[in-house]
Amino acid sequence: MNSAKISVPELNSPELYINREQSLLEFNVRVLAQALDENLPLLERLNYLCISCSNLDEFYEVRVASLLQMAEMDATLISADGLSIQEQFEKISIKAHELVAEQYRVLNDVLIPRLETQNIRFLRRDNWSLTQKAWLEKYFNEELLPILTPVGLDSAHPFPRILNKSLNFIISLTGKDAFGRNSGRAILQAPRALPRIIQLPVTETDNGPHDFVFLSSIIHEFVSELFNGMTVKGCYQFRVTRNSDFFVDDDAIDDLMLAVEGELAMRNYGDEVRLEIDANCPEETVNFLLARFELTADRMFLANGPVNLSRIQAIYAMVDRPDLKFLPFKPGVPSAMGRNKDIFASIRKQDILLHHPYESFMPVVDFIRQAAADPDVLAIKQTLYRTGVDSPIVAALIKAARAGKEVTVVIELRARFDEKDNIGLAAKLQEAAAHVVYGVVGYKTHAKMCMVLRKEGSTLRNYVHLGTGNYHPKTARLYTDYGLFTCEKELSEDVRRVFMQLTSLGKVSKLNKLLQSPFTLHYGLLKMVDKEIEQAKKGKPAKIIIKVNAVVEEQAIQALYRASQAGVEIKMIVRGICCLRPGVPGVSDNIEVRSIVGRFLEHTRIYAFYNGGDWAVYASSADLMNRNLFRRVEVCFPIADKRISERIINDLHANLKDNSQAWLLQTNGQYLRATPGDQPVFQVQTELLKTFCQ
């Protein structure tokens, strides 16, 4: 029987690629879906709503801002999926407006009513009792009035500079002030120090301790107190999102820290990219603000509630209701470390893998603390990308430096939204006489590495920690990541060479085992894909499993398409952006892509190749993105210990087995949530918690 021949497109055909921005918005749709999951604790569902909102903020601050800059440079640019910049803006607007409408629907129609059943209430102005209104008026007069500064708009009072993502009000007025002025409009900026949610005292509620009022509601109600002798005709909240990505000219700077500090000062006043405004705002006022900020209607959003939903996240800490939150857990500690408090002795015995947050991050902190206190330790070298303001790791490094050890820290000052914190950490380390460098100009240092040089008898030994995530104890309880301790000679020598490369100006000789961007990582991964293709063409089993945060880089996508065409079985676990289109006949039939959205943010990067039955497993700080592969310093390290590599493969298979928190990417770019059907519910994060935690 003859079958119709499938028309197979060229591998660079636009139809084979999903738009990056649409894929990122789809991820936020999956996050928001968690807020509707009846199986999750109620306050956690509220958290997911807030996360989807803060994610959308960053999307406009960075991605939309980047597209706008690209359009200014060359409006004719076409993305890999064949869309012009203008077409991308049109699709972004449609999807983003749908997402925002759903966010407010979930808040107003789902979560607020459910919270009320648990005696957690957001009181609207028309529901305030007389005594509550009196208490709130006193709060306004004593706590708010002294620090609020309205600005009437006239020739002597121009429109004020509006801070990025700040809460503001535009107020319509009639009448004249003491000087006979009547501009008709005023702007009121709410200082960021003010809480956005105010909890009523128990004496003012018959509903228990969890009655709350939005700051915006209080200001709306009592705003006339700011305009004595005038009449307030309308008061409408609004918020402006600005370009928060900054540019440092690598060729024109002498001091990177000073350049970054200078750019940080301007971040709050970047170009406007989005306007959010009260849904009840009159059209005339909306148009006035759009014109003032030089924005078009497609980047204006009407808010059916507070203009910054992410600030509602404060409720989580204010409400002491463990029954409405995830059960607490105590991370496990590997038996290899639990039995022996001498971390160096444990690592000498065998490589040790940590899987956060199921296993504690404390061994990493203890590793550096022990190195700081050990008289046999001569030097410590570490990269820091994000680590937190009061980092115990930085404290240990400072202690080591003050003890006279050679401490070298590579701090990435341009870690987005952590720049200010990192500048402060760099200053503290320098004060303690640590050697601080800022990586390589033009390349962000994103690798996660720590090396301890220890004198043992007549020999020197390097102890190394390599990770897929940041040296940040707090996020290590929220993100899934792997960390490897080893003192294997060739691998630790590679780490030493990479540090030399980051701190000196010379070239580094060929690495033994590490793959490193921007040099060997991209080529090395594609070479391993090619090996699987060769196996498949010989009729032998060939498999690839990849777990990353994002898949964007075109050459890598095309390599995976070729592998699929050759018969390689490819399973991909991609948390966020995925531009690869699975299930295209003749191209990606053998590729499955899934995203897991659960209690923890999936953050591990693993590249696993069947390798003729002897799995070759690599962990990395890098995703399959152009920036990671070509514009950052990243490392990708092999898992040589078969016991550990088998464990990681089992973890990957558990991810592929998830039938409850997994979302399957369809050929059309949409995601469908996996359902158990008649099978038992299997959630990989829940199972790992059971396995490792107490």
Side-chain angles (χ1 to χ4, degrees):
M1 182 175 66
N2 294 328
S3 59
K5 186 176 180 180
I6 298 174
S7 177
V8 178
E10 296 293 327
L11 297 187
N12 60 355
S13 296
E15 64 198 86
L16 295 182
Y17 297 86
I18 297 170
N19 180 261
R20 171 179 174 160
E21 318 309 338
Q22 292 294 303
S23 185
L24 185 49
L25 288 171
E26 282 289 339
F27 170 64
N28 282 320
V29 169
R30 300 194 294 279
V31 173
L32 181 58
Q34 296 291 97
L36 293 169
D37 191 337
E38 296 283 347
N39 296 313
L40 296 177
L42 186 56
L43 286 174
E44 303 295 348
R45 292 169 61 185
L46 182 64
N47 245 353
Y48 284 114
L49 167 65
C50 296
I51 292 169
S52 76
C53 296
S54 60
N55 285 351
L56 190 61
D57 284 351
E58 185 172 341
F59 176 80
Y60 270 86
E61 287 178 283
V62 179
R63 293 307 312 160
V64 171
S66 176
L67 280 177
L68 287 167
Q69 290 174 330
M70 291 168 60
E72 288 180 3
M73 291 185 291
D74 185 357
T76 65
L77 288 172
I78 303 295
S79 59
D81 55 296
L83 294 180
S84 68
I85 293 179
Q86 183 56 40
E87 289 171 329
Q88 291 185 72
F89 281 138
E90 291 170 2
K91 288 183 175 292
I92 286 170
S93 178
I94 292 170
K95 192 69 178 179
H97 279 84
E98 290 174 353
L99 180 59
V100 169
E102 179 66 359
Q103 287 170 340
Y104 282 103
R105 186 193 74 81
V106 170
L107 174 68
N108 295 319
D109 299 345
V110 180
L111 294 181
I112 286 180
R114 288 297 303 274
L115 288 164
E116 286 181 355
T117 67
Q118 297 296 324
N119 294 324
I120 301 170
R121 301 189 302 176
F122 297 97
L123 300 181
R124 300 182 184 276
R125 284 182 290 158
D126 53 5
N127 291 327
W128 296 349
S129 68
L130 291 177
T131 58
Q132 287 170 345
K133 183 174 181 179
W135 186 90
L136 289 166
E137 184 173 16
K138 182 180 179 183
Y139 179 88
F140 176 85
N141 288 325
E142 294 181 357
E143 303 292 334
L144 304 183
L145 188 61
I147 60 174
L148 293 178
T149 307
V151 176
L153 302 182
D154 62 18
S155 58
H157 299 82
F159 199 99
R161 298 179 76 183
I162 301 298
L163 284 169
N164 182 37
K165 297 187 297 184
S166 61
L167 174 62
N168 306 275
F169 299 84
I170 184 165
I171 301 151
S172 301
L173 302 164
T174 58
K176 296 184 178 182
D177 68 7
F179 296 94
R181 297 174 301 184
N182 180 12
S183 69
R185 287 195 180 100
I187 299 295
L188 176 64
Q189 302 184 65
R192 286 188 165 173
L194 292 177
R196 295 306 189 253
I197 297 174
I198 289 81
Q199 187 168 6
L200 287 173
V202 177
T203 55
E204 299 301 332
T205 174
D206 57 2
N207 193 59
H210 300 137
D211 276 357
F212 301 93
V213 178
F214 292 118
L215 174 68
S216 55
S217 295
I218 300 174
I219 291 177
H220 275 130
E221 182 67 22
F222 303 111
V223 69
S224 59
E225 299 292 327
L226 299 168
F227 301 95
N228 188 32
M230 304 182 76
T231 301
V232 174
K233 304 296 290 185
C235 176
Y236 310 100
Q237 57 180 324
F238 71 93
R239 187 172 78 132
V240 175
T241 307
R242 298 182 178 278
N243 180 351
S244 291
D245 215 9
F246 60 70
F247 172 72
V248 175
D249 188 347
D250 297 324
D251 296 325
I253 58 174
D254 296 315
D255 189 316
L256 183 59
M257 179 181 284
L258 290 176
V260 171
E261 285 179 325
E263 285 294 323
L264 276 176
M266 297 303 297
R267 169 172 278 171
N268 285 325
Y269 300 106
D271 291 340
E272 300 90 345
V273 294
R274 178 182 60 166
L275 171 66
E276 298 165 274
I277 190 165
D278 193 321
N280 296 317
C281 189
E283 183 177 358
E284 177 191 4
T285 304
V286 171
N287 291 334
F288 170 79
L289 288 174
L290 285 173
R292 177 64 187 78
F293 297 120
E294 298 181 351
L295 291 171
T296 50
D298 62 314
R299 283 188 274 145
M300 184 271 293
F301 294 80
L302 296 177
N304 187 19
V307 292
N308 187 352
L309 293 184
S310 61
R311 294 293 290 266
I312 300 176
Q313 202 163 23
I315 288 291
Y316 189 91
M318 298 168 75
V319 176
D320 185 17
R321 288 287 301 274
D323 57 313
L324 301 181
K325 301 177 182 181
F326 286 130
L327 289 173
F329 68 96
K330 183 179 179 181
V333 177
S335 57
M337 289 189 148
R339 292 191 302 268
N340 191 343
K341 296 198 175 185
D342 183 345
I343 290 179
F344 301 116
S346 298
I347 299 171
R348 283 196 302 273
K349 185 176 180 181
Q350 62 183 6
D351 288 0
I352 299 171
L353 182 76
L354 297 176
H355 192 180
H356 312 303
Y358 315 106
E359 291 179 296
S360 176
F361 188 75
M362 280 309 297
V364 181
V365 177
D366 291 340
F367 174 65
I368 302 168
R369 283 176 173 168
Q370 195 170 121
D374 189 337
D376 293 327
V377 168
L378 305 178
I380 304 173
K381 298 185 179 184
Q382 179 149 14
T383 60
L384 292 178
Y385 192 76
R386 304 186 199 278
T387 191
V389 179
D390 299 316
S391 170
I393 286 179
V394 172
L397 292 170
I398 289 173
K399 183 178 179 181
R402 287 176 175 164
K405 301 184 189 303
E406 190 81 3
V407 176
T408 303
V409 185
V410 182
I411 294 185
E412 181 47 69
L413 294 182
R414 292 165 296 178
R416 186 180 292 130
F417 302 122
D418 279 274
E419 300 94 344
K420 184 177 179 180
D421 290 346
N422 285 0
I423 288 172
L425 294 176
K428 288 181 181 179
L429 286 160
Q430 287 170 330
E431 288 171 4
H435 301 294
V436 177
V437 296
Y438 309 131
V440 181
V441 172
Y443 298 87
K444 282 187 179 181
T445 301
H446 193 249
K448 324 299 181 184
M449 310 182 298
C450 181
M451 186 189 79
V452 172
L453 176 63
R454 191 168 187 265
K455 185 174 179 58
E456 297 175 352
S458 60
T459 64
L460 295 176
R461 191 191 305 270
N462 283 324
Y463 293 84
V464 165
H465 175 269
L466 295 162
T468 66
N470 296 303
Y471 289 104
H472 198 311
K474 290 183 180 178
T475 59
R477 289 186 64 88
L478 303 172
Y479 296 6
T480 70
D481 274 303
Y482 286 120
L484 178 72
F485 286 112
T486 185
C487 60
E488 194 277 326
K489 189 172 182 179
E490 289 189 327
L491 190 57
S492 59
E493 173 61 17
D494 281 355
V495 173
R496 187 194 68 80
R497 291 178 183 178
V498 174
F499 272 114
M500 284 291 292
Q501 180 190 75
L502 291 172
T503 57
S504 70
L505 297 177
K507 291 184 178 180
V508 172
S509 56
K510 183 179 179 182
L511 300 177
N512 299 302
K513 294 185 175 181
L514 278 183
L515 298 175
Q516 182 199 5
S517 67
F519 306 113
T520 59
L521 178 52
H522 183 254
Y523 170 78
L525 290 175
L526 265 56
K527 186 176 179 180
M528 285 184 273
V529 173
D530 287 340
K531 286 183 178 179
E532 293 301 311
I533 292 174
E534 292 173 9
Q535 291 291 93
K537 287 181 176 179
K538 293 176 182 177
K540 297 180 179 180
K543 303 176 185 179
I544 298 172
I545 306 177
I546 294 175
K547 184 174 187 292
V548 289
N549 301 323
V551 176
V552 175
E553 202 274 319
E554 291 175 43
Q555 293 182 59
I557 291 173
Q558 291 176 17
L560 293 169
Y561 283 157
R562 290 194 300 273
S564 173
Q565 290 174 323
V568 179
E569 177 188 289
I570 302 170
K571 304 290 186 182
M572 305 184 71
I573 306 143
V574 185
R575 184 193 80 216
I577 304 168
C578 184
C579 296
L580 178 149
R581 194 181 293 277
V584 177
V587 177
S588 54
D589 317 65
N590 294 314
I591 303 178
E592 175 193 282
V593 179
R594 59 174 48 210
S595 170
I596 293 176
V597 182
R599 175 175 182 173
F600 307 117
L601 183 85
E602 291 293 339
H603 196 249
T604 50
R605 289 95 160 189
I606 295 292
Y607 301 92
F609 304 89
Y610 190 63
N611 194 37
D614 183 19
W615 281 97
V617 179
Y618 285 77
S620 182
S621 56
D623 292 304
L624 289 178
M625 302 182 74
N626 300 70
R627 69 184 188 192
N628 298 95
L629 298 170
F630 305 117
R631 299 193 301 275
R632 287 184 174 182
V633 177
E634 308 269 15
V635 293
C636 183
F637 50 98
I639 306 298
D641 188 309
K642 294 304 176 186
R643 171 183 51 88
I644 295 177
S645 65
E646 287 175 6
R647 175 182 161 186
I648 292 176
I649 292 297
N650 288 336
D651 288 347
L652 292 173
H653 284 140
N655 277 265
L656 296 171
K657 185 181 174 184
D658 192 303
N659 59 16
S660 180
Q661 294 183 318
W663 295 72
L664 302 178
L665 177 57
Q666 308 299 297
T667 307
N668 64 2
Q670 304 295 308
Y671 285 79
L672 294 181
R673 191 165 192 166
T675 55
D678 56 1
Q679 299 296 315
V681 171
F682 185 87
Q683 296 180 351
V684 61
Q685 294 187 357
T686 301
E687 294 303 314
L688 288 169
L689 279 171
K690 291 178 183 177
T691 300
F692 292 103
C693 302
Q694 301 175 19

